[in-house]
Amino acid sequence: MKIALIAGNGLLPVEIAKKLFENEGSKPLILAIRDDPEILRPYADKLISFKAPLISRSLREIKSWGADTLIMAGGISKKVLYLLPLLFDKLSRQVIKNSLRDDHSLLGAVVEIFEREGLKVIPYWQILPEFLASAGKLSLRKPNEQEFKDIECGKNILKITLPCSFGQGVIIADGAVVAVEAMEGTDMMIKRAGSLIHHGVLIKMMREDQDLRYDLPTVGPVTLNGMHEAGLTCLAVESGRTLILEPEKFFNLADKYKIAVFGI
């Protein structure tokens, strides 16, 4: 199996690249769509950097390198879709034009193209199974009674909003919706919530029919640092369907900040 990795922003693609190198004993082809592609070079047999998604070029590079398997991980700013369309190749522009601009539809259309070309697209959680959140109390502190009520409230809100594909998170405080995640992403939503009210619970889930090969919710130390600054006291994540990045550092921070982390 020869693996190509399409790497967007964030720590997740870096962790995947490290694990592929350590476990498989061979470096993958990495197609980086991020501002700091050089961070991936130590783990790449070949590193190619793009300013925007280029599906046709990606296919050519993957086939030329001889990969038969593909992993897609990391975020690509939605601003790219709106502000930099001229950087896209013809096939990428067609995908954007013919798809709804939510993550579920766009990524699904892209995966379909790669599969049509004979590539096997695999879920990145298979590479990092130890990063998957388990169920129940994950931190030293357990959610208190009000936090559990807010978790239930958030779950009910997300069951309605997730099928609309405009975000995987919501912040609840005392039964009130403080913020719902949209194009800005989780970290900016947390910051926005902190400017409105200095307490609350963050709940992250994924839509029930989401393809598990891409776009799993992720949390990490950056999430907790933002929560601490915003005054949020509890994080609820979907067990078996959420990746916790840098888990040792993550849980040390959770305990330091007395943030309750719970797998739902």
Side-chain angles (χ1 to χ4, degrees):
M1 180 169 64
K2 293 191 71 177
I3 297 176
L5 169 64
I6 295 180
N9 294 310
L11 181 63
L12 177 59
V14 181
E15 295 286 356
I16 292 170
K18 286 180 183 178
K19 197 65 174 289
L20 286 173
F21 178 54
E22 292 169 0
N23 284 7
E24 301 297 328
S26 60
K27 297 181 178 182
L29 165 68
I30 300 181
L31 308 174
I33 313 170
R34 52 190 292 144
D35 296 331
D36 58 347
E38 290 301 315
I39 195 173
L40 293 161
R41 190 171 294 281
Y43 316 108
D45 180 72
K46 183 178 182 181
L47 175 66
I48 302 169
S49 178
F50 300 149
K51 291 185 179 298
L54 302 175
I55 298 174
S56 295
R57 169 91 184 276
S58 298
L59 277 169
R60 289 197 301 271
E61 294 290 353
I62 290 169
K63 288 184 175 181
S64 174
W65 190 74
D68 54 16
T69 303
L70 176 65
I71 299 173
M72 297 166 51
I76 297 175
S77 173
K78 284 287 188 68
K79 291 190 293 185
V80 173
L81 302 183
Y82 293 95
L83 301 179
L84 301 173
L86 295 179
L87 294 179
F88 288 46
D89 60 18
K90 183 178 179 181
L91 181 55
S92 301
R93 288 197 295 271
Q94 286 177 347
V95 169
I96 294 170
K97 181 180 178 180
N98 297 332
S99 302
L100 296 173
R101 293 200 182 192
D102 65 82
D103 294 341
H104 185 73
S105 299
L106 281 171
L107 289 169
V110 172
V111 167
E112 186 178 342
I113 290 171
F114 285 123
E115 288 184 326
R116 219 163 44 218
E117 294 294 325
L119 290 166
K120 181 181 181 181
V121 181
I122 64 172
Y124 46 72
W125 62 263
Q126 286 187 357
I127 306 299
L128 302 168
E130 69 274 21
F131 285 29
L132 281 173
S134 55
K137 184 171 80 78
L138 301 178
S139 56
L140 284 178
R141 187 173 77 78
K142 183 179 180 180
N144 60 35
E145 183 178 354
Q146 182 59 55
E147 287 167 340
F148 271 124
K149 289 180 181 179
D150 286 343
I151 289 171
E152 287 302 313
C153 177
K155 286 168 59 178
N156 291 332
I157 296 292
L158 287 171
K159 285 176 183 177
I160 296 170
T161 61
L162 280 169
C164 300
S165 287
F166 61 83
Q168 297 178 324
V170 63
I171 294 172
I172 307 290
D174 303 323
V177 178
V178 180
V180 179
E181 182 181 348
M183 188 184 292
E184 81 276 31
T186 303
D187 296 336
M188 291 300 294
M189 173 188 65
I190 292 171
K191 187 174 181 179
R192 176 160 51 91
S195 71
L196 298 170
I197 185 171
H198 208 63
H199 72 283
V201 174
L202 168 60
I203 303 96
K204 280 185 72 70
M205 296 172 62
M206 67 185 295
R207 57 187 283 173
E208 289 187 3
D209 64 342
Q210 178 68 51
D211 193 320
L212 294 177
R213 290 173 297 178
Y214 53 82
D215 204 27
L216 262 71
T218 60
V219 295
V222 171
T223 312
L224 293 181
N225 284 328
M227 290 180 64
H228 178 64
E229 290 178 11
L232 305 184
T233 59
C234 179
L235 170 63
V237 297
E238 197 170 2
S239 63
R241 286 158 65 94
T242 306
L243 287 176
I244 298 176
L245 302 178
E246 296 184 284
E248 183 177 357
K249 182 177 179 182
F250 176 89
F251 288 114
N252 285 337
L253 278 177
D255 297 337
K256 175 184 175 181
Y257 294 149
K258 295 182 172 55
I259 292 175
V261 184
F262 195 82
I264 52 178

